[in-house]
Amino acid sequence: MTGTLYGVGLGPGDPELLTLKAHRLICSAKTIAYPAAVGVPSFARQIAAPYIQEETTEVPIEMPMKVERFPAKEIYDQAAETISKKLKAGEDVVVLCEGDPFLYGSFMYLYERLRGDFSCEIVPGVSSVNACAAALGRPLAARNEVLTIIPGPLEDEQLQQRIEQSDAFVIMKVGRHLPRVKALLEKLGLLGAAGYVERATLPEMVVARLADYPNETAPYFSMIIVYKGEEAWTLHPQSL
């Protein structure tokens, strides 16, 4: 019998937002794996740290800090090989995933390498999209409205096309693209309707109207939310 590979969503950062299933699997895991940038503590591990047992074997999947596109094929090939040895020996492996494993999650690259040979189970997690909406106190969409998730690195023309086609949208991966995205929203007359959240659910969380956010860049864990639909949801400065 081979082991089972678990892709376990951890939520956006608050350890209390783990599901009961994620908590159970992490507490009982003999082996856990998680992404980690070289020389930087793993955020996924930090979230799960209160529940990891001392005797648990840990497999960091280390990524070099580079600008070029990830995932790096060689790194995921090597991680999949390491994990496959555990699975072949009949041991379950829990892979820790920030947010949800299948929403821009790096776990999907392990999944595509291992699912053909081993039993795999996905444990959904609270996504940053839901967490940021909750932090803003702002519903995402209603009835038949179209909600779009847009990556911030897209070119302006692509961003504008998707914005114009949506009743509500969130822009992820803002980072250094913040000035450009902010300028585009102002051009489209949507800056006043835009909410901004960084590091959702963490003690250092920032919640603001995007128009009032003073910085020229945003951290990786940041998001812009805009509602264009027909419901009477507005972003009041006094509510922030």
Side-chain angles (χ1 to χ4, degrees):
M1 295 290 291
T2 58
T4 297
L5 176 70
Y6 292 94
V8 176
L10 302 174
D14 182 349
E16 291 188 332
L17 287 177
L18 266 69
T19 63
L20 291 173
K21 188 166 189 176
H23 177 270
R24 174 176 60 81
L25 288 169
I26 294 168
C27 287
S28 61
K30 291 184 178 180
T31 299
I32 61 169
Y34 47 81
V38 174
V40 179
S42 166
F43 182 49
R45 194 199 182 283
Q46 287 178 325
I47 298 171
Y51 316 119
I52 298 173
Q53 306 302 306
E54 290 186 6
E55 64 273 16
T56 300
T57 300
E58 301 187 26
V59 181
I61 304 170
E62 294 191 319
M63 299 288 181
M65 299 288 284
K66 294 182 179 179
V67 175
E68 53 261 36
R69 180 184 179 274
F70 277 101
K73 181 180 182 299
E74 296 79 8
I75 292 172
Y76 281 107
D77 286 347
Q78 182 178 357
E81 178 62 26
T82 299
I83 291 171
S84 70
K85 292 177 181 178
K86 298 280 187 180
L87 297 171
K88 287 176 181 176
E91 188 171 307
D92 295 340
V93 177
V94 171
V95 180
L96 306 179
C97 313
E98 300 157 8
D100 180 86
F102 278 176
L103 182 62
Y104 296 106
S106 59
F107 172 75
M108 64 182 70
Y109 304 111
L110 290 174
Y111 178 74
E112 69 181 2
R113 286 163 169 77
L114 296 170
R115 65 175 179 169
D117 298 317
F118 303 100
S119 172
C120 299
E121 183 175 338
I122 311 303
V123 181
V126 176
S127 77
S128 57
V129 175
N130 303 102
C132 289
L136 279 168
R138 186 94 175 274
L140 287 167
R143 297 178 298 192
N144 294 325
E145 292 170 343
V146 176
L147 172 67
T148 304
I149 299 176
I150 307 172
L154 290 182
E155 297 294 332
D156 282 3
E157 184 177 345
Q158 294 176 294
L159 277 170
Q160 181 169 339
Q161 181 183 13
R162 285 162 175 77
I163 288 169
E164 290 175 342
Q165 292 174 344
S166 304
D167 302 304
F169 59 91
V170 300
I171 301 177
M172 302 178 67
K173 306 179 184 180
V174 179
R176 61 187 176 86
H177 303 283
L178 178 63
R180 180 174 60 85
V181 172
K182 198 171 181 179
L184 177 61
L185 292 175
E186 186 169 20
K187 169 188 168 184
L188 297 175
L190 294 171
L191 185 59
Y196 172 84
V197 182
E198 67 181 50
R199 299 186 174 94
T201 77
L202 298 175
E204 62 270 31
M205 177 174 68
V206 173
V207 182
R209 291 172 60 96
L210 181 60
D212 300 332
Y213 186 72
N215 298 345
E216 287 298 311
T217 59
Y220 179 80
F221 294 108
S222 59
M223 187 175 298
I224 295 167
I225 298 181
V226 179
Y227 178 73
K228 295 167 49 188
E230 298 179 356
E231 298 290 340
W233 298 333
T234 57
L235 200 62
H236 299 292
Q238 60 268 27
S239 68
L240 301 178

